Amino acid sequence: MTTIDFTAEVEKRKEAMLADLITLLKINSERNDDEADAQHPFGKGPVAALQAFLAIAERDGYTTKNVDNYAGHFTYGADLPADAEELAIIGHLDVVPAAAQEGWETNPYEPVIKDGNIYARGASDDKGPTVACYYGLKILKDLGLPLSKKIRFIVGTDEESGWGDMDYYFEHVGLPEPDFAFSPDAEFPIINGEKGNVTEYLHFDGKNAGEIILHSFKSGLRENMVPEVATAVFSGKLADFEEHFTQFLSYYGDKNLRGEFKQDGDTYTVTLHGKGAHGAMPEKGVNAATYLCAFLRAMNFGGGAAAFIKVAADKLLEDHEGEKLGIAYIDELMGNTSMNAGVWSFDENGEGKIALNFRFPQGNSPERMQEILRKLEGVTDVTLSAHIHVPHYVPGTDPLVATLLSVYEKHTGLKGYETIIGGGTFGRLLPRGVAYGAMFEGETDTMHQANEFKPLEALWKSAAIYAEAIRNLPQSQKSREHPRTA
């Protein structure tokens, strides 16, 4: 096999790669259900990003396919024998909300390069890595290097919400499923195991029965984001309210909580500010909703409002593994269950609802947790999300894993190792699917956070890794007998 200096090849394409990335980063591709229709299944932004990416691929000579604005792909290696295996590379172009997230120092959709980093929503998750991987393949195409397998480069538009893009894509694309896959949407050296993922919704009666009336409670943007802002509106006669609120903030001073309130007669509007983080790592954030409920816990609420606040303050505050709830579970291979209380609502004319997003290992199950949660005092029902992902693992002995690790070791000089995470990536869409990069060890993780950024050097380096990895991945025994995991 001809030796290629892939780092040097990336160097030649830095400006073009950065320009294409900026094109995509300027597109606000947050899901917007208010704009959803037959032509825009998740809103106009995700469709715009998909069309822009496919236009880039067409410019570079690929034949693309847009599957009804849900997802799209292009292929490479059509001249290979019909029985050649197919590698899928699966990225996504949608992003988590930024506009309603506090702390941005720049416009999240006007990319800024500062101190060697590119700042924008999607720079790290997942437009930056997707473009780096695209250029890794482009290098192989530009050089005319022979491959032993076909390539299908797929991009989705709903990874951050319900994965409806991939459900639709695989059902309607009209092609056999690829034989193996990787997704550039996580960390190096590799993610070859992912915990299961389910959201369980706690329902509460919206009625009040105490001296203090809870009118509304709102917090959270997405189930997979730690809520950084929470607001409650309530009324009643309260003495020394400002003093108690100040003392509360002081008591939790190590959490750097910020808060303010407005008083209109006996009606109070209280807002608490914590710290956002990815829902797969809730311990990295400060959940504003749980702390606000801890403040409200001492007040004389009643009925469903009291149950809503009590469960939050007594069972969810500062517990990221569900120990207080009784659902904690640890597997020797996959580790613990993690929990993120991501989206909250209470309406005095309706109901209260808390969305608990669980990342669970093999041995635990949504049904086990649901049964336990239904026994919580004051909970009227527990329902499950429509999409449930079961635990997923590709053994380290698989040639897919072994090859990717060897390329990582060559380019970094570091020892590769298997990793299992709580996050969910498109790598799990196929039985032989993994996540591979593009965050390096020691790199600051800003996914789902304000001021998201990606070091440019990390993008260049990952592009070189992707080029060599795509080239080196061998054909192996076909594995179509297993259904796609969902």
Side-chain angles (χ1 to χ4, degrees):
M1 183 180 291
T2 304
T3 300
I4 304 293
D5 186 345
F6 287 108
T7 299
E9 293 298 327
V10 172
E11 182 72 27
K12 299 174 185 176
R13 296 164 175 82
K14 280 183 179 180
E15 290 187 10
M17 178 175 159
L18 184 58
D20 286 342
L21 175 57
I22 289 175
T23 294
L24 295 174
L25 291 175
K26 285 185 174 181
I27 300 171
N28 179 342
S29 52
E30 299 173 15
R31 176 170 175 160
N32 186 344
D33 291 339
D34 292 338
E35 298 176 343
D37 56 31
Q39 288 73 43
H40 308 91
F42 310 112
K44 295 180 180 179
V47 172
L50 174 62
Q51 293 175 342
F53 181 87
L54 295 179
I56 290 171
E58 289 172 0
R59 177 202 67 194
D60 292 336
Y62 296 105
T63 298
T64 67
K65 182 177 181 64
N66 183 334
V67 184
D68 299 330
N69 283 336
Y70 280 80
H73 76 244
F74 65 83
T75 58
Y76 182 61
D79 56 336
L80 290 172
D83 63 348
E85 287 191 322
E86 185 175 50
L87 164 68
I89 300 169
I90 316 177
H92 71 89
L93 302 169
D94 60 306
V95 295
V96 296
Q101 191 175 42
E102 294 185 332
W104 280 93
E105 297 174 2
T106 61
N107 184 328
Y109 297 108
E110 288 295 334
V112 172
I113 296 175
K114 181 175 63 174
D115 300 327
N117 303 315
I118 184 164
Y119 287 79
R121 175 59 91 220
S124 181
D125 183 17
D126 180 40
K127 294 176 182 178
T130 296
V131 169
C133 197
Y134 175 85
Y135 268 80
L137 178 59
K138 187 177 186 301
I139 289 170
L140 304 182
K141 180 177 182 294
D142 289 349
L143 298 179
L145 298 176
L147 297 176
S148 64
K149 64 271 169 190
K150 301 174 184 177
I151 309 295
R152 192 192 316 179
F153 202 117
I154 307 169
V155 286
T157 61
D158 189 40
E159 195 273 348
E160 298 293 3
S161 296
W163 290 29
D165 53 348
M166 289 296 107
D167 289 343
Y168 189 94
Y169 173 84
F170 281 104
E171 183 178 351
H172 294 86
V173 69
L175 296 171
E177 288 186 350
D179 297 280
F180 53 116
F182 74 80
S183 176
D185 186 24
E187 307 167 20
F188 288 118
I190 201 168
I191 305 296
N192 60 315
E194 297 183 15
K195 297 177 185 179
N197 188 332
V198 65
T199 298
E200 310 215 0
Y201 304 93
L202 306 184
H203 298 264
F204 302 82
D205 193 324
K207 295 179 181 178
N208 283 268
E211 295 178 0
I212 310 298
I213 303 299
L214 181 61
H215 302 293
S216 68
F217 189 106
K218 294 184 180 299
S219 184
L221 300 172
R222 289 282 190 274
E223 294 165 2
N224 61 352
M225 299 173 69
V226 175
E228 63 179 357
V229 182
T231 299
V233 180
F234 53 93
S235 61
K237 295 188 179 299
L238 296 168
D240 302 321
F241 180 86
E242 183 172 4
E243 180 181 350
H244 290 304
F245 190 54
T246 301
Q247 289 175 349
F248 172 82
L249 294 176
S250 177
Y251 180 79
Y252 286 108
D254 62 320
K255 303 299 180 183
N256 295 315
L257 293 170
R258 295 182 296 108
E260 64 268 357
F261 71 91
K262 295 187 296 183
Q263 182 178 357
D264 183 6
D266 289 338
T267 300
Y268 297 81
T269 300
V270 179
T271 299
L272 205 60
H273 307 260
K275 178 185 176 184
H278 196 299
M281 294 163 281
E283 69 281 358
K284 293 187 176 182
V286 178
N287 192 315
T290 60
Y291 286 96
L292 181 52
C293 286
F295 172 68
L296 300 176
R297 179 72 169 86
M299 299 180 191
N300 189 17
F301 291 94
F308 179 91
I309 293 167
K310 186 175 186 296
V311 166
D314 294 355
K315 303 293 186 181
L316 304 180
L317 179 67
E318 299 182 348
D319 186 352
H320 308 300
E321 299 183 9
E323 292 183 356
K324 297 175 185 177
L325 290 171
I327 57 88
Y329 188 96
I330 300 177
D331 173 73
E332 184 176 352
L333 173 67
M334 290 192 159
N336 68 322
T337 298
S338 69
M339 176 186 69
N340 177 54
V343 179
W344 303 59
S345 63
F346 185 92
D347 180 355
E348 63 179 329
N349 298 313
E351 68 165 1
K353 189 175 177 181
I354 304 174
L356 301 180
N357 182 239
F358 293 103
R359 314 300 173 106
F360 60 96
Q362 56 191 6
N364 198 359
S365 72
E367 294 76 19
R368 169 186 172 269
M369 294 186 288
Q370 183 183 35
E371 182 179 352
I372 293 171
L373 294 173
R374 278 178 169 160
K375 297 176 182 177
L376 289 172
E377 183 178 355
V379 171
T380 59
D381 194 13
V382 179
T383 57
L384 305 183
S385 54
H387 289 80
I388 299 174
H389 300 290
V390 299
H392 172 80
Y393 177 67
V394 181
T397 54
D398 190 295
L400 169 67
V401 177
T403 300
L404 294 179
L405 286 177
S406 69
V407 173
Y408 166 82
E409 291 175 345
K410 175 182 176 180
H411 281 260
T412 65
L414 301 173
K415 178 64 178 176
Y417 52 86
E418 298 183 49
T419 309
I420 296 173
I421 63 168
T425 76
F426 280 162
R428 73 189 306 149
L429 286 165
L430 300 177
R432 291 184 61 226
V434 300
Y436 189 53
M439 189 168 73
F440 290 93
E441 295 179 83
E443 185 179 327
T444 302
D445 182 2
T446 59
M447 296 183 187
H448 294 200
Q449 299 178 44
N451 300 313
E452 178 181 346
F453 70 84
K454 184 71 178 176
L456 291 175
E457 286 300 323
L459 287 175
W460 314 143
K461 190 172 186 177
S462 60
I465 290 175
Y466 287 135
E468 187 151 357
I470 295 168
R471 186 191 191 196
N472 289 3
L473 278 172
Q475 288 204 91
S476 56
Q477 292 183 350
K478 291 182 180 289
S479 56
R480 296 193 191 278
E481 67 271 16
H482 299 297
R484 177 171 59 90
T485 57

